[in-house]
Amino acid sequence: MTWGTELWDQFENLDKHTQWGIDFLERYSKFVKERLEIEQTYAKQLRNLVKKYCPKRSKDDEPRFSSCVSFYSILNELNDYAGQREVVAEEMGHKVYGELMRYSQDLKSERKQHLQEGRKAQQYLDQCWKQMDNSKKKFERECKEAEKSQISYDRLDNDINATKSEVEKAKSQLYLRTHSADESKNEYAAQLQNFNGEQWKHFNVAIPQIFKNLQDMDERRTVKLGETYRSFADVERRVVPIISKCLEGMVTAAKAVDQRKDSAIVVESFKSGFEPPGDYPFEDYSQNLSRTGSDNTISTPKNEGGVKPDPKHSISKTAKNKLWLFGKKPKAPSLEDFSHLPPEQRRKRLQARIDELSKELQKEVDQRDALNKMKDVYEKNPQMGDPQSLQPKISETMCNMEKLRSEIHKNESWLSEVEGKVSTRGDRRPSADVNHHAPHGRESPEGSYTDVPNQEHRSPPHQPDPRQAHQPDEFDDEFDDDDPLPVIGHCKALYSFSGQNEGTLLMKENEVLYIIEEDKGDGWTRARKQSGEEGYVPTSYVEIAMEKNSKDS
C-alpha cells in the first residue's frame, strides 16, 4: 500500500503528517538531552560527594582501621560508578542525541525538497488548465461572434432594401468570424488534449513518485526512532557489567571489615609500655601527736625502726598527674628524641624517622654516583662539559650525606636507649646503611671503591676451570640480602661458558656483561647480565674494559 495511489489527492494532509513526524523526532531528541543532563548532574554530585568524604590526607593520616579502609574503598568504587554514569551521558549525547539532531536536519531538507517538487507539479498542471480554459473561453466567444455575423448576414440577405455592398460586407464579416471560430476550436481542442495528457502524467507519474519519496522518508524516520530507542537501552546495558563490579567491590570492602584487627590497631597505636601503678603506702600524719587515750584506742602501726615514710611514695600532686586514667592527660612539649612519648610510641616514631632518613640518604648516594659518572664522562670527553663545574654539586651532596649519617646515628642511639641495648651501625644495617650499593669496606668518602685485602679467601687455580667455579663463602652470604653491587666496568665474552656449577654464570660468545667485582687472583671475575643475573666467569674467557673511577681506586 503506497501513498502515491491511495492518497493521490491528500497532498495537504501528507504535508501536515510529515511535519508532525519531524516534530516528534525533535521532541524525542529533547527528551534524550534532558536525560543525559540528569546523568551528568548525577555523576557530578556523586563525585563531589566522594571528594567531600575522602579529602586529601597526609601520609600520617592514612586510614589504618579496616572499617576506614573499607569505607574509602567504597568511596573509590562509588567514584568509578560515577564515571560510568558519565560514560552513559557521553554515549547518549554522541550516539543518540547528536545522531537524532543530525538526522532531523537531513529530514527537514529532504521533506522541503519533496514538497517543492509536488508544488511545482501542481503549479504546472494549473498552468495547463488555465491555458486550456482560456482557449475554451476564446472558442466560445468566437462562436458567439460568428453566430451574430450569421444573423446579420441572413437579415441583410432577406432585406430587399439592402444594397449589394451591404450584403457583401455582411457576408465577408460572416466568413471572417466563422474562420476565427474554426481556429479557436482547433486551438481549444489542442489545449484540451495537452491538458488531459499532463493531468494523466500528474496523477499517475509525478504525484505517485513524490508521495512515494515522502513515504520512504517517513518510514526511514520511524526506523531511525526504533534504532535510537535500542541505542538508548544499549548505552545503559553496556555499563551494567562494570557497575556490577563496582557493587561487588563494595560488598568485598564490607566483608573486609575485621573488628579484631581494628582492636589490635588500637592497642598498637596507644600502648604506652608502662607498667600499671602499684599500691601506695599508708602515710601516718598522727605520729607526732601525744597519746592520752585509753589502751583500747585504735592506733595505726608505727614504722619499724622509726623510719619516716619514703617521700618518693607520697601521693603528691605530681603523682596524681601521672595516673591519667580517668583524668585529663597533661600535654607534654614535643621533643626531638620523642622522649615525651611512652616507650612503645617513642620506639615506633624513632624507627619511622630512621627509615625516612635512610631513604633520603640513599637518594643522596645515588645522586653522588650519578655525578661521579658524569664527571668521568666529562674528563674523557671535554667537549661535553667541564668536569670542575660538577665539583660544587658533588661537595654539596657529600655534605648532605654526612648530615644524614649523623642524624641516623643520633636517632639509632635514641632507639637503642629505648630498646635497652647498645646498638652499632652494623646491628641494623638494612634500616640505616649509609650505602646500599657497595659492600662494607669498599666505599671511600669520595665515592670511589677500594679493594679490601683478604675480604674472602679463594685459592687461585693454576688454570681457570669451569668445574672449579668460585663458591661464595660465608662472607658473601652476609650481603645476599643487600642491594646489588655497582657496575665498575664491562666485559665481552670471547668464548661460551656453560656456568653449570653453583655461583657461576652462563654466558654466550660475544655477550656483553657488567663487571661488579674484579679478579682477586684466582682467575674468576664476578659479572652481571643485563637481566640482573649475577655470577662468576673465567677471567681468561672475557675481554675486560674497566671504568676510570675503578682503575684510579
Side-chain angles (χ1 to χ4, degrees), residues 36-48:
L36 67 89
E37 288 176 352
I38 291 174
E39 291 289 350
Q40 290 174 343
T41 304
Y42 179 46
K44 183 178 180 181
Q45 291 178 347
L46 285 179
R47 288 196 182 277
N48 290 337

Side-chain angles (χ1 to χ4, degrees), residues 269-507:
S269 300
F270 302 115
K271 182 179 179 181
S272 65
F274 292 123
E275 293 294 334
D279 294 338
Y280 279 87
F282 178 80
E283 299 183 25
D284 188 2
Y285 296 100
S286 63
Q287 292 181 358
N288 296 329
L289 299 178
S290 59
R291 305 242 177 223
T292 57
S294 59
D295 294 336
N296 59 355
T297 302
I298 300 176
S299 61
T300 56
K302 298 182 180 180
N303 293 332
E304 295 181 359
V307 181
K308 295 183 179 181
D310 189 355
K312 294 182 180 180
H313 295 124
S314 61
I315 302 179
S316 62
K317 183 177 180 181
T318 304
K320 290 181 180 180
N321 287 336
K322 290 184 179 180
L323 292 178
W324 302 342
L325 188 56
F326 299 106
K328 183 176 180 181
K329 180 179 178 180
K331 184 176 181 181
S334 298
L335 301 176
E336 182 184 6
D337 60 352
F338 301 114
S339 59
H340 62 286
L341 296 177
E344 186 68 19
Q345 303 301 321
R346 184 186 181 193
R347 184 188 65 80
K348 293 179 181 179
R349 295 291 293 274
L350 288 172
Q351 186 62 54
R353 180 187 285 176
I354 291 173
D355 294 340
E356 183 178 355
L357 291 173
S358 298
K359 292 179 181 179
E360 294 180 6
L361 178 59
Q362 183 60 43
K363 291 180 181 178
E364 296 293 334
V365 171
D366 294 340
Q367 184 176 0
R368 179 207 61 193
D369 294 342
L371 290 172
N372 285 331
K373 289 182 179 179
M374 187 180 299
K375 182 179 179 181
D376 185 34
V377 172
Y378 285 177
E379 291 175 351
K380 292 180 180 179
N381 303 284
Q383 67 275 11
M384 298 182 65
D386 183 12
Q388 297 302 323
S389 63
L390 299 177
Q391 192 59 42
K393 188 65 177 177
I394 295 176
S395 300
E396 180 183 354
T397 304
M398 296 298 297
C399 182
N400 293 338
M401 290 172 57
E402 291 301 323
K403 290 180 180 179
L404 290 172
R405 287 192 185 100
S406 176
E407 286 293 323
I408 292 175
H409 181 71
K410 180 171 60 176
N411 282 272
E412 284 185 335
S413 300
W414 291 333
L415 182 61
S416 300
E417 177 185 345
V418 175
E419 293 177 346
K421 63 180 182 180
V422 179
S423 173
T424 61
R425 291 290 296 262
D427 292 337
R428 279 185 302 278
R429 186 80 179 179
S431 63
D433 195 359
V434 295
N435 184 12
H436 293 273
H437 282 290
H440 180 67
R442 288 198 171 209
E443 184 193 14
S444 65
E446 292 76 20
S448 60
Y449 294 88
T450 58
D451 294 334
V452 179
N454 299 327
Q455 186 181 19
E456 53 184 351
H457 177 70
R458 302 191 201 101
S459 57
H462 297 285
Q463 181 179 359
D465 185 356
R467 292 175 299 175
Q468 298 178 357
H470 170 77
Q471 301 295 328
D473 56 12
E474 295 179 358
F475 187 84
D476 291 333
D477 293 339
E478 181 181 350
F479 297 98
D480 284 346
D481 296 333
D482 209 344
D483 290 342
L485 295 175
V487 176
I488 60 176
H490 299 80
C491 67
K492 179 180 179 181
L494 301 176
Y495 314 98
S496 298
F497 178 62
S498 60
Q500 297 178 352
N501 294 57
E502 183 179 0
T504 59
L505 183 65
L506 171 66
M507 67 177 181

Side-chain angles (χ1 to χ4, degrees), residues 98-234:
E99 185 67 22
L100 284 174
M101 294 304 297
R102 289 189 295 271
Y103 192 72
S104 175
Q105 296 298 325
D106 295 341
L107 281 183
K108 288 180 180 180
S109 300
E110 184 179 357
R111 174 180 174 274
K112 182 179 180 180
Q113 179 182 354
H114 294 327
L115 293 179
Q116 285 179 348
E117 292 176 355
R119 291 190 177 96
K120 287 181 180 179
Q122 186 65 41
Q123 290 174 359
Y124 179 71
L125 183 63
D126 293 342
Q127 183 180 358
C128 293
W129 182 85
K130 287 180 180 180
Q131 292 177 355
M132 183 273 297
D133 188 58
N134 290 335
S135 62
K136 176 183 177 182
K137 291 179 179 179
K138 181 180 179 181
F139 174 57
E140 183 181 4
R141 288 193 305 269
E142 293 296 337
C143 288
K144 289 181 179 180
E145 292 295 332
E147 288 178 358
K148 289 180 180 180
S149 298
Q150 182 69 42
I151 294 172
S152 177
Y153 171 74
D154 291 342
R155 181 174 58 79
L156 291 173
D157 188 41
N158 295 325
D159 187 1
I160 58 175
N161 296 323
T163 63
K164 185 177 179 179
S165 61
E166 291 177 347
V167 174
E168 289 296 329
K169 183 178 180 180
K171 185 178 179 179
S172 176
Q173 186 71 23
L174 175 60
Y175 176 76
L176 292 174
R177 293 296 182 185
T178 303
H179 183 70
S180 297
D182 290 340
E183 289 181 352
S184 299
K185 180 180 179 180
N186 293 333
E187 183 182 357
Y188 169 62
Q191 291 293 338
L192 180 62
Q193 183 179 2
N194 179 64
F195 173 75
N196 288 334
E198 294 297 333
Q199 182 176 253
W200 185 90
K201 291 181 182 179
H202 179 78
F203 289 109
N204 291 277
V205 180
I207 289 299
Q209 183 62 39
I210 293 172
F211 284 8
K212 182 178 182 298
N213 293 337
L214 287 173
Q215 182 180 1
D216 293 341
M217 180 194 73
D218 192 70
E219 289 178 353
R220 281 188 278 109
R221 175 191 63 83
T222 305
V223 172
K224 191 67 175 180
L225 281 172
E227 291 176 353
T228 53
Y229 293 162
R230 186 165 54 253
S231 299
F232 186 83
D234 289 341

